[in-house]
Amino acid sequence: PVLFLIGLGVGFGVHVLRRRRDKSAAARRAARRPLVEALWGHSIRGDDGRALSDGVAELMETEGITDGVVVAEFDPDHDRLRGYVIHPAGRETFDIGMEHTTDLAGRALRTGRPTSSGAPGTESAALEPELISGTDLPPDRGWVALPLLDPAPPEACVDEGFLHRTGCPWRDAPEVPDEHGWRGSCAGCTHDPVRGVLAVRVVDEADSEGLADLLESLARTLGTILSLRRLGYRLQMVETGREQLLDAMLNGLMSTDGEGRVRYSNRRARELFGDEDVTHRRLDELVILPAGSTAITRALIEGRATLRAEGLVHRASGDPPSIPVRVNLTPLRMPDGSIRGAVCVLEDRTDVITLENEVRHLDTLAALGRFASGLAHEVRNPLGGIQAGVEYLENSGAFEGDAADHLRIIQGEVQRVDSILADLLQVARPREVVAGPVDPHELARGVLAGFATLAETVGVRLELVAENRGDEIYADEQMIRQVLVNLVKNAIEASPPGETVEL
């Protein structure tokens, strides 16, 4: 009975101690939870990791287990380790290439496992004491370095010991160059789980109970945070590339949600709408199609596409107020076959329609030219009779003085009309310039003489202002005469009675 009672008392005491220890551990975990959760808030403030390292230092200081913290992020694109060292003497920033890292942190990253330099409660005291090459940290013992890995690393990388070693099942890589080679067989591997390193210097007064669990939990949390940050950065790069690619399109591109409201528009689409923000507006109010809103309805509900439809884009500002477009409207299907919106491609038809109008105008001019050619043939026949009659009267000798001069003027005008008709007959091909010596004074005098009767009728005086020096010019006489005739005729018609037209 005595032994039974003694055993019962000892068992009860052990039970009480165990309950107290469990309660103490639970209390510590409960106290740590808000601090660990606060790291997520620190992780989103700033891009340089300063806030994250401050959060870790705050957590370690609250726990009273460390007086030095290192939080570093690994940059796989440049093969560098960047981060902060926080210790009683202040804060340091470091940025080093991993090929030169042979210290405690480098060993942790190469092996994918925690390493130490003789921290309290550990048996590993033979490792070199230097923590981060190039920093001013004293080579004290008591540092613990933990690799920050992806929360779900491939088993072959860590558990089977293939991290930065040859023979990895993910890729057939070359041999590690030397004992301290950093990237080795993991160079460029998308499965590389390394995200960074966490190192703490454990103080002698620290309670070692639960220290390993805390550091392991903290390393997992930081690994997850850095993985999400890296994923977010890569998504941002993909998004930026997608934006630039879509903005380089010559056509406008828009996408809608399931209710037909605009969610995205590229640069060309925004230009079509006069640089107006059309996000969250209904597509059928922005792009008017002949079928009305049924096109977007068919795309969203029936999953039917509307291709090569002619429509109009209405603009709230800018000139012109509307732009003709060709619309391709297709449903936006998800991998499961559901319809989550629509994709609309807008092709500006302004230049095409302008060109089509010009072609139609040229067709009209061609038809008019063919009509003029036929008319010229008909007019030339009676004109030939007039020319023959004038020549008969001139050769008969019945007219002298002013009458003879007027006959010569009539004959010249008949010849000019015949030349115009010849040009009409050649409307399909440009007239070639036939240049020769021309007396400008005689040419101008002949043009004015042809308008003497018209000028007298409307009460306008004609005057030639030129010195007859007998000089000649080299030009196409018929073309120059036509220019002068048009100018003098316009001047006579635009001048009131009593004015003088000078040539």
Side-chain angles (χ1 to χ4, degrees):
V2 174
L3 294 176
F4 174 76
L5 292 176
I6 292 175
L8 183 63
V10 172
F12 180 75
V14 171
H15 176 71
V16 170
L17 291 177
R18 185 177 298 168
R19 290 290 301 277
R20 288 180 178 177
R21 185 183 62 187
D22 294 342
K23 289 182 179 180
S24 176
R28 285 197 300 270
R29 288 194 297 269
R32 292 169 182 168
R33 184 177 297 111
L35 295 174
V36 174
E37 292 175 352
L39 292 178
W40 293 94
H42 286 291
S43 67
I44 63 176
R45 297 201 303 269
D47 296 329
D48 58 356
R50 181 192 298 259
L52 189 61
S53 61
D54 288 342
V56 176
E58 179 184 352
L59 174 61
M60 295 291 98
E61 183 180 355
T62 302
E63 290 289 320
I65 60 176
T66 182
D67 60 355
V69 172
V70 175
V71 179
E73 185 172 2
F74 173 59
D75 181 1
D77 296 330
H78 302 89
D79 204 23
R80 303 189 68 81
L81 193 65
R82 301 184 177 97
Y84 293 90
V85 180
I86 302 175
H87 52 86
R91 176 201 300 271
E92 293 184 43
T93 304
F94 62 91
D95 183 347
I96 57 176
M98 288 308 304
E99 69 275 9
H100 304 301
T101 304
T102 60
D103 45 40
L104 192 65
R107 292 180 182 273
L109 292 176
R110 288 187 182 89
T111 61
R113 292 180 172 83
T115 58
S116 67
S117 59
T122 66
E123 300 176 357
S124 177
L127 297 177
E128 56 186 9
E130 188 178 10
L131 178 68
I132 299 292
S133 301
T135 63
D136 294 332
L137 280 177
D140 292 345
R141 301 167 61 84
W143 282 95
V144 178
L146 298 92
L148 304 179
L149 306 177
D150 188 91
E155 294 181 0
C157 291
V158 180
D159 295 343
E160 299 181 19
F162 284 117
L163 188 63
H164 309 297
R165 295 292 184 269
T166 57
C168 174
W170 294 115
R171 55 185 286 117
D172 184 16
E175 294 290 333
V176 178
D178 54 49
E179 179 185 359
H180 303 300
W182 163 242
R183 295 302 283 159
S185 59
C186 298
C189 179
T190 58
H191 302 281
D192 184 7
V194 175
R195 298 293 179 263
V197 64
L198 165 68
V200 296
R201 183 168 58 182
V202 182
V203 298
D204 295 336
E205 300 81 7
D207 183 9
S208 61
E209 185 178 1
L211 177 60
D213 291 340
L214 171 62
L215 294 180
E216 183 180 354
S217 174
L218 183 60
R220 285 197 301 265
T221 301
L222 293 175
T224 302
I225 290 175
L226 295 181
S227 293
L228 292 177
R229 285 176 56 173
R230 182 179 297 184
L231 178 61
Y233 174 74
R234 290 178 177 176
L235 290 177
Q236 183 180 8
M237 294 296 293
V238 171
E239 182 70 13
T240 301
R242 183 186 68 89
E243 290 279 349
Q244 295 178 358
L245 179 63
L246 296 179
D247 284 343
M249 294 179 58
L250 297 179
N251 293 334
L253 177 66
M254 307 173 70
S255 64
T256 74
D257 57 16
E259 297 181 355
R261 299 186 182 276
V262 176
R263 296 177 56 187
Y264 169 80
S265 57
N266 69 345
R267 177 189 56 82
R268 181 55 183 149
R270 295 191 295 270
E271 290 177 351
L272 289 175
F273 289 100
D275 293 326
E276 179 188 3
D277 185 11
V278 296
T279 307
H280 306 305
R281 294 183 59 183
R282 293 190 60 84
L283 181 63
D284 52 10
E285 297 176 355
L286 299 169
V287 182
I288 307 302
L289 296 173
S293 61
T294 57
I296 184 69
T297 302
R298 287 198 302 267
L300 296 176
I301 298 179
E302 303 175 11
R304 295 170 55 188
T306 301
L307 303 178
R308 303 180 64 82
E310 302 295 331
L312 286 176
V313 166
H314 285 306
R315 313 171 75 186
S317 60
D319 186 40
S322 62
I323 297 178
V325 292
R326 175 170 288 170
V327 182
N328 290 328
L329 187 64
T330 58
L332 179 60
R333 295 186 183 275
M334 296 294 102
D336 59 358
S338 61
I339 298 176
R340 297 295 181 86
V343 177
C344 181
V345 179
L346 304 175
E347 178 187 353
D348 188 356
R349 299 274 295 168
T350 303
D351 293 339
V352 176
I353 292 178
T354 301
L355 182 60
E356 290 175 350
N357 291 336
E358 291 179 356
V359 171
R360 282 194 291 267
H361 179 64
L362 292 176
D363 290 341
T364 302
L365 292 179
L368 182 60
R370 291 190 295 271
F371 171 76
S373 298
L375 182 62
H377 278 291
E378 297 298 327
V379 173
R380 244 183 169 185
N381 295 329
L383 190 63
I386 297 175
Q387 176 74 16
V390 172
E391 290 178 354
Y392 172 78
L393 293 176
E394 185 180 13
N395 295 330
S396 65
F399 298 92
E400 296 179 355
D402 292 340
D405 291 339
H406 283 292
L407 281 178
R408 285 192 293 271
I409 292 174
I410 293 174
Q411 187 176 11
E413 292 301 312
V414 169
Q415 292 175 353
R416 189 169 65 84
V417 172
D418 184 72
S419 176
I420 294 173
L421 293 177
D423 291 339
L424 287 176
L425 291 174
Q426 297 179 355
V427 69
R429 59 184 177 89
R431 182 184 182 278
E432 295 183 0
V433 176
V434 181
V438 178
D439 184 343
H441 187 275
E442 185 63 25
L443 177 63
R445 191 190 66 81
V447 169
L448 290 183
F451 284 102
T453 303
L454 175 61
E456 185 179 356
T457 303
V458 298
V460 174
R461 295 186 299 274
L462 298 179
E463 182 178 350
L464 177 62
V465 182
E467 180 183 354
N468 188 6
R469 299 180 301 182
D471 297 333
E472 291 184 341
I473 61 173
Y474 195 73
D476 188 317
E477 183 176 359
Q478 293 299 324
M479 288 186 174
I480 294 296
R481 183 183 296 274
Q482 185 65 44
V483 171
L484 296 180
V485 166
N486 291 339
L487 291 175
V488 173
K489 181 181 179 183
N490 291 341
I492 293 174
E493 294 175 348
S495 299
E499 291 292 329
T500 300
V501 173
E502 297 180 352
L503 177 60

